[in-house]
Amino acid sequence: GDVVHTLLEARHLEVGARVAAGLFKLGEDVPHGDGAEARAAAYPGTMKLQRQDVLALDFPDAHFDQVFTSCTFCSVPRPVDGLRQLLRVLKPGGELHMFEHTGSKVFVFKQVMDWMTPLSRNFGPEMNRDTVANVRAAGFAVDRVRNVYLDVVKVIHAHKPGRDGTRSTQGGTGA
């Protein structure tokens, strides 16, 4: 009862183009004519597509309960600044859920990614970012990190600390 009701009332932000579903989707690269508008119209809940720069989000402080990203922060020019914007728009105790590729600590992969990054950054992604360290540097408390493919593709779960530095459930999704 109460848990389902709370989840339905929660505000979610999905950052990046071509993410499956949610209340808000944003990204400078949300493409026109790729069917995103039709998928949003067909979504049974409420979904609003917006083109925004993650470095300057046009949402009030403490507005969202959860933020989701998927293969997004490899292409943000100043990732810590973008993550700080996500922190700003999250309520205290609000959750950040990321599915991202990151740099590798495995010698062979690290070398290849380090060599590829100067080329790849010309068309978007940086192959060797330490996204977990960036999440911490932005002010999030990292709850857990799960490697999905080697140590390159990760699921990162973090939260915005409460006003007293703890995980607040007041106005957020709680633990």
Side-chain angles (χ1 to χ4, degrees):
D2 290 350
V3 171
V4 172
H5 183 71
T6 300
L7 289 174
L8 292 175
E9 289 184 356
R11 287 193 173 141
H12 306 279
L13 172 66
E14 293 190 20
V15 179
R18 299 181 187 99
V19 181
L23 297 179
F24 293 88
K25 289 173 66 172
L26 62 94
E28 287 186 328
D29 57 346
V30 174
H32 291 284
D34 77 336
E37 288 83 1
R39 287 193 304 277
Y43 181 66
T46 302
M47 181 186 296
K48 183 176 179 183
L49 297 176
Q50 295 187 7
R51 283 173 180 73
Q52 288 195 35
D53 183 346
V54 74
L55 298 173
L57 294 177
D58 188 23
F59 294 112
D61 294 355
H63 187 68
F64 293 101
D65 299 289
Q66 295 181 318
V67 174
F68 298 87
T69 74
S70 180
C71 300
T72 303
F73 273 85
C74 61
S75 299
V76 174
R78 296 185 325 273
V80 174
D81 291 339
L83 287 161
R84 284 184 180 134
Q85 281 290 301
L86 299 185
L87 186 74
R88 180 185 66 76
V89 301
L90 269 173
K91 295 176 181 177
E95 300 171 353
L96 173 66
H97 303 282
M98 303 178 82
F99 176 81
E100 300 284 339
H101 70 81
T102 66
S104 177
K105 292 185 170 123
V106 176
F107 177 75
V108 174
F109 294 114
K110 179 176 178 10
Q111 290 297 350
V112 170
M113 294 173 108
D114 286 347
W115 292 330
M116 290 174 57
T117 293
L119 176 64
S120 68
R121 99 171 30 114
N122 289 326
F123 59 86
E126 297 231 2
M127 306 299 289
N128 60 358
R129 287 202 169 151
D130 188 344
T131 303
V132 176
N134 289 343
V135 169
R136 285 188 177 104
F140 284 96
V142 175
D143 298 315
R144 66 188 175 281
V145 177
R146 183 171 58 90
N147 290 334
V148 176
Y149 180 75
L150 301 172
D151 69 334
V152 176
V153 179
K154 297 178 178 358
V155 175
I156 304 164
H157 299 280
H159 72 275
K160 178 178 182 174
R163 289 182 191 94
D164 61 357
T166 63
R167 184 171 185 135
S168 169
T169 57
Q170 204 171 17
T173 55

